[in-house]
């Protein structure tokens, strides 16, 4: 894949154009696809540049790294600083997604800090998030969560097996402080477009079955596609694409 354009504005414009072309190819409105800027390893200055260009959704892989960049939800617009003395990014108007694996010992911080958690894949994690959200943020709306599905079946990947998803749905529906919103997945690397589309289509079909079985749940989100495969994901119904390298360049 070619390197992204040199300036942040050019990189973002190129990505939005690719999203629009893929959406048009699928007969979809590009506005139905949310770009999540993955800011793992990115400094606060780069995130501020993306915000200035209109990006409003950000994804972080690790709880501690997010805490060092973004102010707490509902906190003051100024005054909070990172351990390095940089002003933390105000959260007003932004949506912060946890997209990486969540360890149980970080569940309490995650439940209060993030706007959406996309990596729910275990029953014990559901119980932890419900308990901590109820204790620490009882007056806030239910925390939106996505169930992470290991659609490729790779042993090294996190995510619930498709056969285990119904049990997670049942557990989430019993949690008044959590709100299931859809599914997330990571496709296997190195696949051609046809193979990628089969994996993404399998997740969409799973979502559609869940929607039919549980019409009381808002199954609105399919978080599928990253820098190397987001166009194939859009063709199969992705409503969120998680882009880091395509937007910011190679990590250093």
């Amino acid at each position: 894949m070619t390197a992204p354009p040199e300036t942040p504005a050019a990189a973002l414009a190129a990505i939005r154009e690719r999203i629009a072309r893929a959406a048009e190819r699928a007969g979809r409105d590009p506005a139905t696809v949310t770009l999540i800027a993955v800011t793992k390893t990115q400094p606060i200055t780069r995130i501020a540049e993306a915000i200035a260009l209109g990006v409003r959704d950000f994804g972080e892989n690790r709880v501690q790294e997010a805490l060092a960049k973004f102010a707490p939800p509902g906190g003051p617009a100024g005054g909070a600083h990172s351990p390095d003395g940089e002003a933390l990014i105000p959260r007003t108007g932004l949506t912060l997604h946890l997209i990486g694996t969540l360890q149980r010992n970080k569940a309490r911080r995650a439940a209060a800090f993030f706007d959406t958690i996309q990596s729910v894949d275990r029953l014990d994690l559901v119980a932890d998030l419900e308990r901590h959200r109820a204790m620490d943020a009882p007056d806030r709306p239910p925390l939106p969560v996505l169930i992470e599905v290991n659609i490729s079946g790779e042993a090294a990947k996190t995510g619930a097996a498709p056969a285990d998803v119904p049990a997670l749905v049942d557990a989430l529906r019993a949690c008044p402080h959590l709100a299931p919103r859809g599914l997330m997945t990571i496709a296997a690397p190195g696949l051609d477009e046809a193979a990628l589309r089969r994996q993404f289509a399998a997740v969409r079909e799973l979502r559609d079955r869940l929607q039919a079985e549980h019409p009381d749940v808002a199954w609105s989100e399919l978080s599928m596609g990253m820098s190397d495969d987001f166009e194939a994901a859009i063709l199969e119904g992705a409503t969120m694409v998680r882009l880091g390298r395509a937007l910011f360049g190679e990590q250093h």
Side-chain angles (χ1 to χ4, degrees):
M1 177 176 288
T2 59
E6 292 183 359
T7 69
L12 182 59
I15 287 168
R16 293 204 182 282
E17 175 61 26
R18 291 172 64 188
I19 289 173
R21 287 201 303 267
E24 290 167 4
R25 184 176 163 194
R28 300 177 56 196
D29 181 350
T32 63
V33 182
T34 298
L35 165 62
I36 299 175
V38 177
T39 46
K40 173 185 176 182
T41 76
Q42 297 298 328
I44 287 174
T45 53
R46 297 297 305 277
I47 300 171
E49 289 175 348
I51 293 170
L53 292 169
V55 178
R56 293 294 178 264
D57 286 78
F58 293 87
E60 282 284 342
N61 286 63
R62 296 181 176 87
V63 176
Q64 289 303 119
E65 187 174 346
L67 292 170
K69 296 175 183 177
F70 294 89
H81 291 79
S82 74
D84 296 330
E86 290 184 274
L88 295 179
I89 297 167
R91 293 280 287 280
T92 303
L94 305 183
T95 301
L96 185 59
H97 306 254
L98 179 64
I99 60 175
T101 302
L102 178 58
Q103 304 297 330
R104 292 187 67 187
N105 63 355
K106 299 292 194 304
R108 182 170 189 174
R109 299 300 298 270
F113 190 75
F114 286 89
D115 300 304
T116 298
I117 294 180
Q118 296 201 11
S119 49
V120 172
D121 61 354
R122 311 182 307 281
L123 290 172
D124 56 5
L125 182 57
V126 171
D128 288 341
L129 290 171
E130 169 64 18
R131 182 173 70 256
H132 293 311
R133 186 77 170 189
M135 287 191 305
D136 298 336
D139 297 328
R140 292 175 62 190
L143 174 65
V145 300
L146 305 185
I147 296 173
E148 182 180 359
V149 182
N150 183 350
I151 199 62
S152 67
E154 296 171 272
K157 273 199 170 72
T158 57
D164 295 333
V165 170
L168 286 167
V169 175
D170 289 340
L172 285 167
R173 293 178 71 236
C175 294
H177 298 91
L178 303 178
R181 289 289 181 262
L183 304 178
M184 183 267 260
T185 200
I186 301 171
L191 301 179
D192 61 21
E193 183 182 284
L196 283 170
R197 291 189 63 173
R198 284 194 293 272
Q199 289 198 353
F200 292 135
V203 178
R204 172 175 46 78
E205 290 162 2
L206 175 58
R207 189 277 309 271
D208 292 346
R209 290 197 298 273
L210 294 170
Q211 195 167 44
E213 293 166 2
H214 304 286
D216 57 312
V217 175
W219 296 103
S220 55
E221 303 296 353
L222 280 175
S223 179
M224 309 191 301
M226 300 190 296
S227 290
D228 287 335
D229 58 18
F230 69 91
E231 287 145 315
I234 292 170
L235 292 173
E236 293 301 335
T239 64
M240 297 174 171
V241 293
R242 311 180 303 274
L243 307 183
R245 178 166 36 83
L247 181 59
F248 296 109
E250 297 290 345
Q251 296 177 2
H252 298 288

